[in-house]
Amino acid sequence: MQSSATRGGGMDGSTTKGDCDTLESGGYHRDTNHKSMLSGVAIKITLMFVLVGTSVLILNQSSYPLEFFRNHSSFSGASCADSSSVHQYTLPIPPSSPAKDENIELEKTLRKAAMKDNKTVIITTLNAAWSEPNSLFDLFLESFRIGDGTAHLLDHVVVGAFDETAYERCKAAGLHCYAVTTEGVDFSGEAFFMSEDYLKMMWRRIDLLRTVLELGFDFVFTDADVMWLRDPFKKFYEDGDFQIACDHYWANYTDVSNSPNGGFNYVKSNNRTIEFYKFWHNGREYFPGRHDQDVLNMIKDNPIIPRIGLEFRFLDTAYFGGFCEPSKDLDEVITMHANCCIGIPNKMHDLTMLIDDWKRYMALPPSNRNSTTKSWTVPRICG
């Protein structure tokens, strides 16, 4: 909610001429015959300094300096005439949450799933709709089993289950399972894109990943509609705190003009990424009705990012592809995501075709693969 000051009005909420311009200080003529006037001015100046000093003290007590969130699409080209379209928000980054009982259980699960370095895990989230037999979760698991050198990675997958059905399905698959609780919310049904339940689920996921970082674990987060066809760890950058796949890869791997997709990312646990995930999660309050990926696009070039010291790395769709922009060479592809695709039946249709394409490719002698089966027969419905 914007204050009257943010809207450009005066302290009483009124609007005065020149609000869109920089404030101008008014002058006065010194007149020794009007001491009472000067005394009044002096009192006002004193009160002003007291007020400013108090404000500075309050701001200094925050856990992190305040920064502006800007909706760049509204902000671009705004003028005094359309100043109402300019949305500016101040956002404090809160201190770390205290340890909770559920975090103890989460840490135990992460330790059991961790790789040889004792700190890296693969995380996905699941609800009943996505975990039904012969549904997306089955294709997700199958991709690991038929991928090129990916089967062993299943030992390190942690499933964040949003409901009891998903939790039991995870257990039946022999994976590491963690019950993600959200008081008063039922995530068991299909959360249609941009519905209220969908948004709650997406933001609960960001909060979960922040907790994982605070517990000291690096992770690869993957949506369950991402097919793992090769080992991605061989293609991640050695530097970079936050590495993320893209819907569209426009430029080089450090350019924020790329279009990131939150369905696949590799994140290292450190103070920078923890602060970033707090900043990102708080964005849900300042951009209501937006999902995590929208907010990420709004904040990826925010001035707070370099102040935190965070470094983005954007993953090339030539290797980390999807239905928005497929990886064209099957000899190079690492993952394929059912992005640019809404609805479980549509995802199932095209991902099933993708798995069939991959099986045909892997059945060929290595020397003949690229020349015989170079690319996909998908997307068909999606994309």
Side-chain angles (χ1 to χ4, degrees):
M1 181 176 180
Q2 292 173 294
S3 66
S4 59
T6 305
R7 291 193 302 267
M11 291 299 292
D12 61 352
S14 63
T15 304
T16 59
K17 184 178 180 179
D19 280 341
C20 193
D21 302 324
T22 56
L23 294 177
E24 297 179 352
S25 59
Y28 66 92
H29 296 286
R30 177 171 179 155
D31 190 341
T32 55
N33 295 324
H34 296 82
K35 293 182 178 179
S36 60
M37 180 184 298
L38 290 175
S39 298
V41 172
I43 291 172
K44 291 179 180 178
I45 291 174
T46 302
L47 288 174
M48 181 184 70
F49 278 111
V50 171
L51 183 59
V52 171
T54 303
S55 300
V56 170
L57 178 62
I58 292 172
L59 289 176
N60 284 341
Q61 290 175 342
S62 66
S63 63
Y64 204 88
L66 299 180
E67 279 290 350
F68 285 109
F69 260 149
R70 286 187 175 90
N71 182 333
H72 293 290
S73 61
S74 297
F75 187 80
S76 177
S79 64
C80 185
D82 60 3
S83 60
S84 61
S85 68
V86 180
H87 303 292
Q88 293 183 329
Y89 303 88
T90 55
L91 180 66
I93 296 181
S96 299
S97 302
K100 299 178 181 178
D101 291 342
E102 57 261 35
N103 290 354
I104 296 173
E105 187 61 33
L106 175 59
E107 184 173 9
K108 289 180 181 178
T109 305
L110 294 170
R111 290 202 181 283
K112 290 178 182 178
M115 298 181 182
K116 290 182 179 180
D117 63 358
N118 293 320
K119 64 177 298 185
T120 303
V121 295
I122 299 166
I123 300 176
T124 191
T125 52
L126 197 64
N127 70 346
W130 279 47
S131 61
E132 292 179 356
N134 302 313
S135 190
L136 289 168
F137 188 51
D138 292 283
L139 293 179
F140 176 72
L141 297 178
E142 185 177 6
S143 74
F144 281 88
R145 296 177 183 129
I146 66 173
D148 186 0
T150 53
H152 71 284
L153 295 175
L154 276 174
D155 295 337
H156 310 291
V157 172
V158 175
V159 175
F162 281 117
D163 54 65
E164 185 176 355
T165 300
Y167 186 84
E168 293 302 323
R169 183 82 165 86
C170 170
K171 285 294 187 183
L175 303 176
H176 303 280
C177 313
Y178 173 71
V180 183
T181 58
T182 304
E183 188 175 350
V185 181
D186 180 10
F187 287 135
S188 60
E190 181 178 359
F192 293 100
F193 184 67
M194 295 307 293
S195 67
E196 183 178 357
D197 283 347
Y198 174 87
L199 294 174
K200 287 179 180 178
M201 190 182 298
M202 294 302 99
W203 286 115
R204 181 64 181 93
R205 184 177 79 181
I206 297 297
D207 190 46
L208 170 67
L209 297 177
R210 172 194 57 80
T211 304
V212 171
L213 294 172
E214 289 184 336
L215 292 172
F217 291 87
D218 301 347
F219 63 78
V220 176
F221 175 78
T222 172
D223 277 341
D225 61 349
V226 174
M227 302 295 102
W228 286 55
L229 305 174
R230 288 190 174 90
D231 186 345
F233 290 93
K234 298 176 181 179
K235 204 66 180 180
F236 289 142
Y237 298 101
E238 292 185 6
D239 61 343
D241 304 303
F242 181 91
Q243 305 186 33
I244 187 165
C246 298
D247 283 340
H248 300 283
Y249 185 79
W250 303 115
N252 66 60
Y253 65 97
T254 61
D255 196 322
V256 294
S257 67
N258 290 304
S259 301
N261 184 295
F264 186 89
N265 47 74
Y266 172 47
V267 187
K268 299 175 184 177
S269 174
N270 54 46
N271 290 336
R272 297 181 295 275
T273 54
I274 291 169
E275 292 301 295
F276 173 68
Y277 265 79
K278 293 176 188 175
F279 183 61
W280 188 2
H281 186 256
N282 280 1
R284 76 197 190 286
E285 301 293 342
Y286 295 86
F287 299 104
R290 301 292 189 122
H291 62 67
D292 57 317
Q293 188 169 308
D294 281 342
V295 173
L296 176 61
N297 269 305
M298 293 172 183
I299 67 174
K300 64 187 179 182
D301 58 350
N302 191 282
I304 204 171
I305 305 302
R307 290 183 65 180
I308 291 174
L310 186 80
E311 293 185 2
F312 287 116
R313 295 290 181 266
F314 298 95
L315 301 173
D316 194 335
T317 53
Y319 311 104
F320 300 90
F323 293 152
C324 295
E325 194 169 289
S327 303
K328 296 179 180 179
D329 190 341
L330 270 66
D331 279 351
E332 300 290 341
V333 64
I334 295 172
T335 60
M336 279 286 286
H337 186 190
N339 51 10
C340 291
C341 191
I342 298 175
I344 292 176
N346 293 336
K347 290 177 182 286
M348 283 294 300
H349 178 275
D350 278 17
L351 285 177
T352 300
M353 291 184 65
L354 184 147
I355 289 292
D356 289 341
D357 286 346
W358 183 256
K359 287 178 178 178
R360 285 192 293 270
Y361 169 82
M362 290 295 290
L364 295 170
S367 59
N368 295 339
R369 286 175 182 170
N370 196 23
S371 59
T372 306
T373 309
K374 187 174 179 59
S375 194
W376 308 103
T377 61
V378 289
R380 292 289 181 88
I381 297 176
C382 305

